[in-house]
Amino acid sequence: MSLNLSYVDYRIRQRDYLLSITRAIVSRLNLRAVLRLILQASVDMLQGQSGLIALSGPDGEFAFSASYGLPPALVEAFNPLLEEIPEYDEVEEFSIPDMAERLSAIAEETGLLLRQVVALPMIVLAVAGGDKTHEFLGIIFIFRSHSLRFSPDDRQVLASFADYAAIAVNNARFYEAAVTERRRLDALLESSADGVLVLRPDLSIERLNRALSSLTGWSAQDAIGLYHDEVIVWAGQVAKPQRAVVQSKLRLEDAMEEGWPHREERTLYVEGDLRRRNGSFVSVGITYAPLLGRSGRLLNIIGIVRDITRFREADVLKDTFISVVSHELKTPVAIIKGYAETLLNPKARRNPMLVDEMLEVIADESDRLARLVDDLLDASRLQAGGLPFRDVEDVDLRGIIRRVVDRYQPQTQIHTLHIDFPESFPTIRGDPQRLEQVLDNLVSNAIKYSPHGGEIYIKGEAVPAEVILSVGDQGVGIPLEEQERIFDRFYRVENPETRATSGTGLGLYLTRAIIQAHGGRCWVHSTPGQGATFYVALPCETGLALWQG
Ligand code: ADP
């Protein structure tokens, strides 16, 4: 059996080798180190001097991955051994044609003493869909410098080492695939625009991705390990009255008490306002999905957290639109209907003064309706891309202001409107009707929002390249935090003094759009309780091209 070892010694050594190889595989030594160990053991057990292991690459080609007892620089010279390896069905059929000839050519080229060679395939059994297949992972070669041929027993011994080598290679491949898969998953989670939350079965946080960190204000470092509702904090109440709080009744714990996820519906959707770490709120919808093990045991709960602020805003806007429109339409329609019905009564028509008065009210209310419809149409056009301009010409703003003041002064006894313009005031290029719409809105607001009356100043100032108009009143004013929002669509300030004032919240939205289309700006200064001054700046050489194109 062996040249200088007793059979028992030989078996013991073989067993020791196999044991240390098993340990190396289990303790996850790197693949190269395990292959070298296997080669060393095989060479020793087979009384050889050197050996090589070739592995098959993704393209099916073989390449040497480990060597023992050979100068590394010469390994390449052994490549002819890997050429044209025939297909085979049984391990016993495996052979490399003309191996002896190939070996002597290599020996000649390298000057190495290589007399005998044995080669065995490294094979693992793969079970896929009930079918067993053999996977050919590589080849192990052992060389002798003396001429004693390798016996069938030697092949047998080598086969056990080849099996171990195949297992090590296979493990390494699985490990590599798992690492790649994990990296891919990490990249996917981290780059996801939606928040991702992974919970352990006890509902503590296992991980959260970058999107969820920025949504909640919790870094992964701080959040991991916390109980989920320390980070996912549903707002019971929100301080701001304008904000509708949606709190779905179903909390994760409640759902789990009711048996989720061991029920038909696997995912759970929870929606509401989430309190961020800094105390602010964000509307989110969370879809929870369980990750169950094979036995049905809960391994993880994955939560996908989506910022639904935009949907909620769109919802609120839609509701506002409906309530504004129905409210604003109701009053003039009721007045027109009431007066018209009165006029249908021949008795009421006997007093011509009364008839005139009623007809005037009907005409005024019809104008109000027409304005409302115009504003709504303008707002929808603006949403769709832009406001149409009718004429573009040189406009004398003073003429427009005079007309607006003449229209409003007779309607109020408690306000006094003043016009204050310098002697010479430049004309600007613009659409006179749109500019009148702006001033009409600013002056009517100044009156509407100073319910106790007062002075209203409409001033003009020419500075280089710009004219600045201002409309100042002594009314209720606007809190600082609302001063930007009043230019939003449908936005109206909650103020007990002006709650009854009619309005759509579209006037300033359209005002800003018209001024911006003229290449200008508008803003407000206000001290609540003392009044507000709205400013409009328009370029003198207005960017005509801006809105003719
Ligand atoms: P509307 O007057 O139809 O409500 P606007 O868009 O013209 O709509 O104005 C939006 C809101 O801005 C008003 O509801 C009001 O709360 C506030 N506002 C506008 N002008 C004034 C003003 N001169 N003084 C105080 N508040 C004002």
Side-chain angles (χ1 to χ4, degrees):
M1 159 103 244
S2 98
L3 292 178
N4 46 18
L5 282 176
S6 77
Y7 180 73
V8 175
D9 282 351
Y10 180 84
R11 278 294 180 203
I12 289 174
R13 271 179 78 176
Q14 187 187 3
R15 197 208 59 192
D16 285 351
Y17 270 132
L18 293 179
L19 212 68
S20 62
I21 290 167
T22 315
R23 276 204 205 102
I25 292 175
V26 173
S27 69
R28 274 209 220 135
L29 270 185
N30 73 38
L31 179 65
R32 261 169 208 282
V34 176
L35 293 184
R36 273 186 58 81
L37 186 60
I38 290 169
L39 263 182
Q40 185 190 345
S42 313
V43 168
D44 185 28
M45 294 309 296
L46 267 63
Q47 317 271 298
Q49 277 67 48
S50 53
L52 284 169
I53 288 180
L55 296 183
S56 99
D59 50 2
E61 294 287 313
F62 288 95
F64 291 114
S65 298
S67 70
Y68 178 79
L70 291 171
L74 296 183
V75 169
E76 230 176 80
F78 288 75
N79 283 344
L81 287 176
L82 303 176
E83 283 163 15
E84 291 164 36
I85 293 169
E87 300 270 321
Y88 63 96
D89 288 329
E90 296 294 327
V91 179
E92 293 70 35
E93 290 171 19
F94 174 79
S95 78
I96 298 176
D98 314 320
M99 196 156 59
E101 286 76 12
R102 297 192 200 192
L103 188 69
S104 52
I106 295 166
E108 198 159 311
E109 194 193 326
T110 57
L112 293 168
L113 207 55
L114 301 163
R115 292 243 170 79
Q116 293 295 328
V117 58
V118 60
L120 275 188
M122 288 154 46
I123 286 168
V124 281
L125 194 68
V127 183
D131 290 336
K132 284 183 189 165
T133 54
H134 290 90
E135 206 181 331
F136 186 13
L137 298 180
I139 309 168
I140 181 165
F141 295 90
I142 304 297
F143 307 105
R144 275 180 184 164
S145 56
H146 52 83
S147 49
L148 189 72
R149 292 174 69 91
F150 286 102
S151 66
D153 272 353
D154 288 333
R155 292 178 70 90
Q156 192 71 43
V157 170
L158 186 58
S160 60
F161 288 112
D163 284 349
Y164 275 87
I167 292 167
V169 171
N170 211 30
N171 281 357
R173 285 195 180 165
F174 279 138
Y175 183 69
E176 218 164 83
V179 168
T180 312
E181 197 50 41
R182 181 152 190 120
R183 282 213 193 105
R184 191 176 302 153
L185 201 67
D186 281 351
L188 201 76
L189 282 186
E190 288 309 317
S191 62
S192 158
D194 284 335
V196 180
L197 178 71
V198 181
L199 300 179
R200 300 192 184 98
D202 65 0
L203 301 188
S204 65
I205 295 174
E206 189 171 305
R207 80 181 280 179
L208 84 172
N209 72 346
R210 210 175 300 148
L212 191 56
S213 278
S214 56
L215 196 68
T216 57
W218 280 90
S219 68
Q221 205 185 0
D222 289 353
I224 287 169
L226 293 181
Y227 192 62
H228 78 119
D229 69 2
E230 288 182 74
V231 171
I232 303 296
V233 187
W234 295 112
Q237 253 185 339
V238 177
K240 281 195 155 193
Q242 298 93 316
R243 192 169 178 138
V245 184
V246 175
Q247 171 67 70
S248 74
K249 281 186 214 86
L250 209 54
R251 291 188 331 135
L252 190 54
E253 286 88 337
D254 301 338
M256 290 180 87
E257 255 168 46
E258 285 173 25
W260 186 82
H262 309 288
R263 289 189 302 180
E264 281 296 280
E265 73 270 27
R266 275 292 176 83
T267 58
L268 175 73
Y269 183 71
V270 182
E271 188 179 294
D273 284 341
L274 204 69
R275 191 193 298 264
R276 289 197 178 99
R277 200 176 186 185
N278 67 7
S280 63
F281 296 94
V282 59
S283 304
V284 298
I286 308 185
T287 306
Y288 291 105
L291 186 66
L292 301 178
R294 246 189 241 162
S295 59
R297 196 167 59 89
L298 182 65
L299 301 177
N300 279 119
I301 295 172
I302 318 281
I304 306 291
V305 187
R306 183 162 283 185
D307 182 346
I308 55 166
T309 311
R310 281 181 172 279
F311 298 113
R312 292 278 300 282
E313 278 173 357
D315 259 4
V316 170
L317 210 62
K318 196 181 71 201
D319 293 348
T320 316
F321 173 80
I322 293 169
S323 79
V324 161
V325 171
S326 46
H327 177 260
E328 288 300 300
L329 283 176
K330 231 182 192 163
T331 321
V333 168
I335 294 174
I336 293 169
K337 185 167 188 290
Y339 280 39
E341 276 173 0
T342 313
L343 285 174
L344 280 174
N345 181 344
K347 269 194 215 148
R349 286 205 298 265
R350 276 193 216 130
N351 181 345
M353 279 240 302
L354 205 63
V355 170
D356 280 356
E357 245 175 57
M358 287 189 193
L359 286 174
E360 224 167 89
V361 172
I362 289 176
D364 282 352
E365 292 302 319
S366 308
D367 281 349
R368 204 165 117 183
L369 274 180
R371 258 199 320 274
L372 172 66
V373 172
D374 281 346
D375 279 358
L376 287 171
L377 285 176
D378 280 349
S380 101
R381 284 188 196 117
L382 201 55
Q383 276 300 99
L387 273 181
F389 286 91
R390 293 169 195 110
D391 315 296
V392 176
E393 56 192 57
D394 287 332
V395 183
D396 181 3
L397 290 166
R398 287 173 302 186
I400 292 182
I401 288 175
R402 177 106 327 268
R403 259 202 312 281
V404 173
V405 169
D406 287 348
R407 183 154 60 240
Y408 282 102
Q409 185 63 81
Q411 298 182 20
T412 171
Q413 267 112 48
I414 56 171
H415 300 90
T416 312
L417 279 66
H418 306 273
I419 302 178
D420 181 1
F421 270 67
E423 274 296 296
S424 74
F425 194 75
T427 57
I428 61 147
R429 292 287 295 170
D431 179 332
Q433 288 187 41
R434 287 294 183 190
L435 291 170
E436 184 156 342
Q437 184 180 351
V438 166
L439 285 157
D440 190 288
N441 183 49
L442 293 181
V443 172
S444 81
N445 277 354
I447 295 172
K448 271 195 322 193
Y449 299 107
S450 25
H452 304 298
E455 313 294 317
I456 293 170
Y457 283 94
I458 303 137
K459 293 185 183 169
E461 199 188 337
V463 294
E466 257 184 354
V467 298
I468 297 177
L469 303 178
S470 64
V471 179
D473 62 55
Q474 300 169 329
V476 295
I478 303 151
L480 188 64
E481 64 275 15
E482 310 272 17
Q483 288 179 11
E484 226 0 79
R485 300 196 68 185
I486 53 173
F487 294 96
D488 288 349
R489 250 185 327 162
F490 296 121
Y491 195 80
R492 306 196 72 210
V493 180
E494 275 278 319
N495 183 318
E497 283 206 75
T498 54
R499 184 164 295 146
T501 315
S502 70
T504 54
L506 284 175
L508 289 176
Y509 169 67
L510 295 174
T511 293
R512 179 168 270 183
I514 292 168
I515 297 303
Q516 284 176 346
H518 279 80
R521 299 163 287 136
C522 69
W523 67 98
V524 64
H525 284 168
S526 171
T527 307
Q530 291 179 25
T533 303
F534 283 82
Y535 294 87
V536 166
L538 287 162
C540 294
E541 303 293 325
T542 195
L544 186 60
L546 262 180
W547 31 276
Q548 268 196 333

